[in-house]
Amino acid sequence: MRLVFLGPPGVGKGTQAAGLSSDLSIPHISTGALLREALDKGTPTGLEAKSFMEAGELVPDTVVLRLVQERISRPDSSAGWLLDGYPRNLVQAAALCELLTEMQQSLDRVVYFECSEAEVLRRLGGRRACRNCGETFHIEFAPATGACSAGSGEACDLYQRSDDSEQAILNRLEVYRRETDPLVDHYREQSALVVVDGSASIEAVSVSLRKALGQTP
Ligand code: AMP
């Protein structure tokens, strides 16, 4: 199964992608996570991406395409993958289409997680991530309880992503509206789109997602 998850920042794509990719035994490929990893390691790609990410802007298309191409060419991606956060504009959608044609692969489904902007703002403002295991939590809806899954036996070491500051959030939403939202119609026209109500609880979204993909629980 080759899937793309589409929807505004903070809608819960990452949370749903983690569960589904594990159920389907396909890699969860988050371009945001790949870029953050590059940034943490101080690689040339990370340095190139830094200022764009901190401002909530899109990193240049060529930089992100390189990461995606490398990742979906690895052996563990041969049976499928779940792309979370890519493509994010029409240029990236065309690049992905071209890449898949070259690789003689095709996209099975694009899942669009629909959610109001007010709800997205509430979710992003309370989002926290763990420095050690990388898991994402929410101070209100999904608090970190118990020990960190990195195995230290301690609680998670939470922080707020620098692109989750109020100014960066507003900018990311503006970028989403302008650049990414047109992809909904693009994929609808290609009959690849399935729509899931992303404003419901994590469990309810998970059930709708599996139903939309024809997966039996
Ligand atoms: P995310 O974790 O998906 O919210 O991504 C965090 C940040 O990484 C975004 O605000 C962008 O700066 C950058 N980013 C992630 N995916 C892409 C992409 N497909 N194209 C350009 N920039 C991206």
Side-chain angles (χ1 to χ4, degrees), residues 62-90:
T62 48
V63 174
V64 190
L65 177 63
R66 216 164 52 215
L67 285 177
V68 170
Q69 181 163 17
E70 191 277 323
R71 187 62 190 82
I72 68 175
S73 304
R74 286 196 214 159
D76 70 337
S77 299
S78 61
W81 35 255
L82 195 171
L83 271 179
D84 162 19
Y86 190 92
R88 252 192 167 79
N89 59 27
L90 289 163

